[in-house]
Amino acid sequence: MQVIPTGIPDVLLIEPKVFGDERGFFFESFNAREFAEATGIERQFVQDNHSKSAQNVLRGLHYQVGKPQGKLVRVVQGEVFDVAVDLRKSAKTFGQWAGVRLSAENKKQLWIPEGFAHGFLVLSETAEFLYKTTDYYDPASERCLRWDDPAVGVAWPLPAGAPLLSAKDRQGLDLAACEKFS
């Protein structure tokens, strides 16, 4: 696997080694030993999640304060623009964001460490999104950073009009008001 730092060094783009021929392809989507060797990160993943969303759906920017989650994310059908926002007050990159295109075609993954808000915008007609987490989902710890907070300034590749948001995501807080990590 190849590990590529993003504009935020702790957020890593991971390109797996893909073996393909006329029959199709094969790759290891996760191998704990190789992940640790390539990234220097040793985490135990405790939960796998799978979502399917329609075009222009924007999910996020989500995070958990009491039980922060690291996430290893990928797309198995379609394409998304995936974003991580640093909410660690002590980090040099606090309030900054990193965004990448993840697709079934490019097979890239993104490592988002604990202390970050995460979200994605569906660019294709539909997209299926898989992610591993380092802690369990805890509704009482869940928070939402406003997807369009001008203080963060995520450059979402939006078509004309607003994205499709859940009621929860429409209630996201600005960076100045949201809970942060030390």
Side-chain angles (χ1 to χ4, degrees):
M1 82 178 59
Q2 184 177 4
V3 178
I4 304 160
T6 64
I8 300 175
D10 295 334
V11 177
L12 304 173
L13 186 61
I14 298 168
E15 292 184 349
K17 189 170 189 174
V18 179
F19 302 92
D21 60 24
E22 66 280 354
R23 300 168 299 153
F25 68 86
F26 170 85
F27 72 96
E28 283 186 344
S29 60
F30 181 73
N31 177 309
R33 181 180 54 241
E34 288 185 19
F35 182 78
E37 288 172 2
T39 65
I41 298 166
E42 292 191 30
R43 296 290 197 286
Q44 179 181 355
F45 293 99
V46 299
Q47 184 173 321
D48 280 3
N49 299 317
H50 186 152
S51 70
K52 182 175 183 177
S53 303
Q55 191 169 35
N56 298 328
V57 166
L58 193 151
R59 294 185 184 265
L61 296 156
H62 302 148
Y63 63 104
Q64 290 186 179
V65 291
K67 296 183 178 190
Q69 296 175 310
K71 296 178 181 178
L72 182 62
V73 304
R74 68 189 180 107
V75 172
V76 295
Q77 182 269 313
E79 181 179 22
V80 306
F81 183 69
D82 199 76
V83 171
V85 179
D86 195 342
L87 296 179
R88 303 169 301 169
K89 292 185 290 188
S90 60
K92 291 179 183 178
T93 53
F94 171 71
Q96 295 179 26
W97 64 277
V100 297
R101 286 179 183 253
L102 302 177
S103 69
E105 186 177 316
N106 71 25
K107 298 172 185 49
K108 294 177 182 178
Q109 300 178 44
L110 193 64
W111 163 249
I112 303 153
E114 297 85 350
F116 283 74
H118 170 256
F120 63 90
L121 172 68
V122 178
L123 303 174
S124 51
E125 187 175 323
T126 62
E128 292 195 41
F129 191 83
L130 299 179
Y131 57 106
K132 300 176 141 339
T133 64
T134 60
D135 206 343
Y136 298 102
Y137 173 66
D138 180 33
S141 293
E142 188 175 30
R143 303 293 184 270
C144 185
L145 173 65
R146 190 174 130 196
W147 70 274
D148 62 347
D149 181 1
V152 177
V154 175
W156 297 102
L158 284 166
L164 302 172
L165 301 168
S166 70
K168 175 179 70 174
D169 292 349
R170 284 193 293 273
Q171 302 301 314
L173 299 176
D174 290 338
L175 182 62
C178 76
E179 288 184 68
K180 300 161 192 78
F181 300 90
S182 44

